[in-house]
Amino acid sequence: MITSLTCNACSAQIPLTGTRIICRVCANYDLCTSCHTLGRFSDSHEVQHETLVLYPPTSISQDPYHVPPAPPPPLPPRSNSSSNNEEISPRQLPPPLSTRILSTTGKLLSSNNTPTKRLTDISDAVFAYLNKTYPTANQHLLNPGHVANFYELMGMPPEGNVFGVCISVMNGLGSSLDNIDPEIAHFYDQLGIEYSLITRASATPGGLPMVMDGMPVLSHRGFRQLLVCEILEDPGRMHSVFGQLVRWAIFDDRGRAFEEVPWGMFPAEPDPAFVVKVTAVAEEFGGRLRALFARLKREREEEDLREHILATQLQQQQMHDQRMAAMQLSIQAQQRGMEAALKAI
């Protein structure tokens, strides 16, 4: 009986009752959560392949995202002609319907462009959903990988959102993700998004941390501010995105399904001043990233050149040592021949 699978990246055993990641492109390709989080995979798998996270089975009572079943229909009223006209006992009444979050009143943003209770509810639900994409990460914070997943859920593939591009380029260059942390922190600063700095885990199990207190992460408050920025920049796009999130059946921590978010809850138009600001921030951020990528690429090429020179020098040294050894053997053979000739005289 099969009780575990093997991670195709690190060869660790993945129990069937644990969380694992499968590739939708590669046949019979499994990753453990550590390799998936750290971006490790074998040569046959490519980073742009679509993957699926398979979670262990969870009982209904333990799953906070479980949709409560619909209550049974109410009991029919008793006929007055019945011989027993007593009222229905409260124990016989069906359970009340769970209160659904109303979506037909109020706005997502207040008059000073801060999130309302409605937006807070949606934000917290999306926050919880994103945390499930990184089951081994801190479940109270969103790291840059979480945010990249958020934009991918918004319909922006990794190559189409700046967070996904950053991670993909770093992986392609073989560079540490610590290199992009200061740029993302600067991006948050420019937009007024609150964040914290934590230590990114080591890329190798049991290894030392990469940079102490370097990775910018968002709390619930910071993620709400990010959503506010997106709404102010393009309310139309965010309206369609929220519709997608509803269709993906995201639920809040009390198990209540979100209803459709009507257009009337969004600003009628983008905020002109904010659009100007975010355009300038995006241009600066893009320039900083291009400079960073160029520097890292140059450093990688220089490192490759140094490794090539060292390898060439090592090869030349080995060839020299082999020639010297051959010459030494030849000299020794000649000496033995001369000694034998002298003895024969």
Side-chain angles (χ1 to χ4, degrees):
M1 178 179 178
I2 299 176
T3 59
S4 64
L5 299 171
T6 301
C7 175
N8 289 79
C10 67
S11 300
Q13 294 299 307
I14 310 173
L16 294 181
T17 56
T19 301
R20 72 181 192 276
I21 296 85
I22 64 173
C23 178
R24 291 181 177 270
V25 179
C26 304
N28 299 323
Y29 194 89
D30 300 279
L31 288 175
C32 64
T33 54
S34 297
C35 291
H36 180 251
T37 303
L38 298 173
R40 292 195 302 249
F41 46 84
S42 59
D43 294 338
S44 61
H45 178 71
E46 297 182 6
V47 68
Q48 64 267 25
H49 285 181
E50 182 181 359
T51 57
L52 177 65
V53 180
L54 299 181
Y55 298 97
T58 309
S59 66
I60 290 177
S61 61
Q62 294 175 330
D63 188 359
Y65 302 95
H66 172 66
V67 186
L75 296 175
R78 295 195 178 190
S79 172
N80 292 332
S81 60
S82 172
S83 59
N84 185 359
N85 290 328
E86 64 182 6
E87 295 292 334
I88 300 176
S89 168
R91 294 179 181 273
Q92 297 175 286
L93 294 176
L97 285 169
S98 59
T99 305
R100 298 179 70 85
I101 299 175
L102 298 179
S103 62
T104 56
T105 59
K107 299 285 187 179
L108 294 178
L109 301 181
S110 63
S111 57
N112 59 348
N113 290 335
T114 57
T116 62
K117 178 62 168 62
R118 176 59 176 159
L119 181 57
T120 298
D121 287 339
I122 295 177
S123 171
D124 291 349
V126 178
F127 191 101
Y129 182 79
L130 290 173
N131 268 318
K132 296 179 70 175
T133 65
Y134 271 73
T136 59
N138 189 314
Q139 296 297 291
H140 303 287
L141 300 169
L142 296 184
N143 61 41
H146 285 121
V147 180
N149 288 346
F150 168 66
Y151 282 106
E152 188 171 355
L153 291 176
M154 287 174 58
M156 301 171 65
E159 63 275 10
N161 75 80
V162 68
F163 288 84
V165 168
C166 288
I167 295 174
S168 298
V169 171
M170 291 298 103
N171 290 333
L173 292 174
S175 300
S176 168
L177 294 178
D178 285 328
N179 290 292
I180 62 171
D181 288 341
E183 306 305 327
I184 294 177
H186 178 76
F187 178 75
Y188 288 154
D189 284 331
Q190 295 299 101
L191 291 179
I193 297 174
E194 298 179 17
Y195 62 92
S196 302
L197 294 175
I198 66 172
T199 301
R200 188 185 293 275
S202 172
T204 57
L208 296 175
M210 297 181 183
V211 175
M212 298 298 292
D213 297 332
M215 180 172 63
V217 291
L218 301 180
S219 64
H220 283 274
R221 179 179 175 85
F223 184 62
R224 291 172 201 148
Q225 293 170 340
L226 178 63
L227 287 182
V228 169
C229 291
E230 293 292 342
I231 293 173
L232 291 176
E233 180 187 7
D234 193 343
R237 180 184 64 180
M238 292 305 293
H239 173 248
S240 63
V241 168
F242 279 4
Q244 281 184 314
L245 296 179
V246 171
R247 286 190 291 275
W248 288 328
I250 296 178
F251 300 92
D252 70 357
D253 56 1
R254 288 156 292 187
R256 302 182 300 183
F258 285 110
E259 298 174 355
E260 288 287 347
V261 184
W263 170 245
M265 299 187 71
F266 289 83
E269 296 178 350
D271 185 284
F274 185 80
V275 170
V276 172
K277 176 182 178 179
V278 76
T279 301
V281 170
E283 290 178 355
E284 182 202 13
F285 187 49
R288 291 171 65 100
L289 288 181
R290 286 190 292 271
L292 172 64
F293 295 159
R295 176 176 64 81
L296 293 176
K297 182 180 179 181
R298 183 173 63 254
E299 292 176 354
R300 177 62 183 271
E301 292 173 347
E302 292 173 352
E303 180 65 23
D304 290 343
L305 179 60
R306 285 193 294 269
E307 292 179 356
H308 175 71
I309 293 174
L310 289 175
T312 302
Q313 292 175 344
L314 178 61
Q315 184 180 17
Q316 292 175 347
Q317 183 64 40
Q318 290 175 343
M319 293 175 62
H320 174 74
D321 293 343
Q322 291 174 356
R323 287 195 298 269
M324 294 299 296
M327 290 176 60
Q328 186 68 24
L329 291 175
S330 176
I331 293 173
Q332 292 175 356
Q334 291 177 3
Q335 290 177 345
R336 287 194 297 270
M338 292 176 63
E339 292 174 355
L342 291 174
K343 290 180 180 180
I345 295 176

